Amino acid sequence: QVQLQESGPGLVKPSQTLSLTCTVSGGSITTNNYYWSWIRQPPGKGLEWMGAIAYDGSTHYSPSLKSHTSISRDTSKNQFSLQLTSVTPGETAVYSCAKGRGADLPRPPPRDYWGQGTQVTVSS
């Protein structure tokens, strides 16, 4: 059974870079045809798919976030990471990582394989 766990700071100052890591257990992030996404949900708003890294290392981003989002991976640790530069208070949200398939993009994948989510607050 694949499990995902987000980690990173819960508080980031405006204009700084938000960095989160998702550690995957029970399955490899290089398994064919799976995509590993980051999703966020601001308070009182809906889910927003941010981007994904595929089994082959290719990356896919939401057009609205592409300019300040980067997703990478460390296959030796079975982890993938999110970097969001120049954050603003409006980017306060619960950030989640998830496993899905290419056909899910650019929407959040089904809830079958999601991390529990981590609260990130952008505030000075």
Side-chain angles (χ1 to χ4, degrees):
Q1 180 79 350
V2 173
Q3 293 184 318
L4 300 92
Q5 178 67 57
E6 306 88 352
S7 59
L11 179 64
V12 181
K13 295 185 186 305
S15 81
Q16 291 189 341
T17 296
L18 183 163
S19 296
L20 296 173
T21 295
C22 183
T23 300
V24 179
S25 59
S28 172
I29 62 172
T30 61
T31 300
N32 278 355
N33 300 323
Y34 285 107
Y35 289 67
W36 304 88
S37 288
W38 285 99
I39 306 103
R40 67 183 180 183
Q41 186 168 27
K45 297 185 179 180
L47 295 172
E48 179 182 22
W49 178 80
M50 303 179 68
I53 188 163
Y55 61 97
D56 61 359
S58 61
T59 51
H60 310 264
Y61 297 106
S62 167
S64 65
L65 296 173
K66 186 175 183 178
S67 64
H68 75 130
T69 304
S70 178
I71 298 174
S72 59
R73 68 180 185 175
D74 186 336
T75 56
S76 68
K77 297 180 179 178
N78 215 36
Q79 296 174 333
F80 63 105
S81 298
L82 170 74
Q83 286 203 319
L84 192 63
T85 61
S86 304
V87 294
T88 66
E91 295 182 286
T92 293
V94 174
Y95 286 75
S96 300
C97 57
K99 171 188 172 183
R101 292 189 178 270
D104 299 322
L105 306 185
R107 297 172 305 278
R111 285 280 189 171
D112 299 346
Y113 299 105
W114 281 53
Q116 64 183 18
T118 186
Q119 173 70 46
V120 177
T121 300
V122 180
S123 175
S124 55

